[in-house]
């Protein structure tokens, strides 16, 4: 049996764990696309505001699910030096992937922001939510973006994570909440019954924004 039927169910589990934040008017930030339905379910449980935080994983060219780094809004760039050494990716290969992901980050910003300014982060308790972490590179970039805006407290919440990713992100965030940390994480999607690729329209609907 899959631990989570879908992302919304995973978000409800996280929301229960994050209940103590209910009175703090938190800002819940979902990482598009997969993190947004999880974040929406978390926000439904703990209240506060819901927004997105745009980051892009820099996948190894011949193994795209393996992150050699990530980029985020505000020009943040995080590299996973261990992965880069292990796979032997060249600077030229990294630059090519980064150029493509910058273009996609710009596209998603235009599409998913829909001309709307981000909700201010400063002095807020911020909860960054994704549907899971394998290497933690994308979440590390997200944490760096949020730190630049001086939150009061930074919490990372994911339904599933590898030990390595949780340790990596736990050293950046003030708190990391994750109810499922398997000994071996073959892939984030393995713990979901429904792990379909979300369309932009689905994300906009969760954010209560009209489609462009």
């Amino acid at each position: 049996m899959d631990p989570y039927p879908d992302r919304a169910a995973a978000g409800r589990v996280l929301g229960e764990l994050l209940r103590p934040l209910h009175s703090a008017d938190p800002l819940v930030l979902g990482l598009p696309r997969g993190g947004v339905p999880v974040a929406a379910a978390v926000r439904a449980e703990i209240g506060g505001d819901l927004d997105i935080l745009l980051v892009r994983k820099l996948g190894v060219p011949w193994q795209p699910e393996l992150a050699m780094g990530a980029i985020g809004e505000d020009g943040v760039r995080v590299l996973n030096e261990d992965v880069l050494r292990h796979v032997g990716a060249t600077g030229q290969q990294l630059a090519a992937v980064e150029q493509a992901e910058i273009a996609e980050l710009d596209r998603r910003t235009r599409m998913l922001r829909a001309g709307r300014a981000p909700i201010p982060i400063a002095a807020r308790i911020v909860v960054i939510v994704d549907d899971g972490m394998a290497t933690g590179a994308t979440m590390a970039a997200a944490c760096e973006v949020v730190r630049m805006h001086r939150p009061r407290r930074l919490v990372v919440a994911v339904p599933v994570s590898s030990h390595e990713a949780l340790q990596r992100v736990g050293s950046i965030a003030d708190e990391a909440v994750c109810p499922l940390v398997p000994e071996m994480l073959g892939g984030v999607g393995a713990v979901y019954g429904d792990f379909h690729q979300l369309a932009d329209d689905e994300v906009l609907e969760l954010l209560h924004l009209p489609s462009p």
Side-chain angles (χ1 to χ4, degrees):
M1 179 180 291
D2 299 297
Y4 303 116
D6 54 27
R7 292 179 176 92
R12 289 191 290 271
V13 172
L14 281 179
E16 286 296 324
L17 297 175
L18 295 164
R19 278 265 177 203
L21 297 180
H22 187 274
S23 61
D25 188 32
L27 172 57
V28 181
L29 300 177
L31 301 188
R33 297 177 180 128
V36 176
V38 187
V42 167
R43 189 276 193 102
E45 295 286 334
I46 68 173
D49 295 314
L50 174 66
D51 201 359
I52 53 173
L53 187 69
L54 290 158
V55 294
R56 291 293 296 172
K57 178 169 60 180
L58 302 176
V60 175
W62 54 91
Q63 195 175 348
E65 286 304 308
L66 181 60
M68 51 186 174
I71 57 172
E73 293 181 275
D74 301 323
V76 172
R77 178 178 186 258
V78 179
L79 296 181
N80 190 331
E81 300 291 351
D82 290 342
V83 170
L84 283 168
R85 281 194 297 269
H86 179 70
V87 302
T90 66
Q92 187 174 11
Q93 288 168 329
L94 174 62
V97 171
E98 189 169 1
Q99 184 175 11
E101 293 300 345
I102 287 172
E104 178 61 11
L105 184 69
D106 289 344
R107 185 196 74 82
R108 288 199 180 189
T109 299
R110 292 191 300 272
M111 175 74 70
L112 298 178
R113 287 288 181 206
R116 181 178 56 95
I119 296 174
I121 288 171
R124 297 288 296 269
I125 291 180
V126 176
V127 183
I128 310 177
V129 179
D130 203 358
D131 53 14
M133 298 190 300
T135 69
T138 302
M139 185 61 81
C143 289
E144 295 291 348
V145 169
V146 170
R147 284 286 188 211
M148 289 174 63
H149 296 280
R150 301 184 180 278
R152 176 151 56 105
R153 182 172 177 79
L154 174 56
V155 180
V156 165
V158 291
V160 61
S161 176
S162 68
H163 286 278
E164 295 78 14
L166 198 60
Q167 185 176 24
R168 178 180 189 181
V169 170
S171 67
I172 305 171
D174 295 311
E175 181 183 359
V177 176
C178 179
L180 182 59
V181 188
E183 284 300 317
M184 291 291 292
L185 180 61
V188 169
V191 304
Y192 287 91
D194 175 3
F195 195 68
H196 73 278
Q197 181 74 28
L198 272 77
D200 288 334
D201 284 351
E202 291 180 84
V203 175
L204 290 170
E205 184 177 350
L206 287 162
L207 296 169
H208 303 297
L209 294 172
S211 299

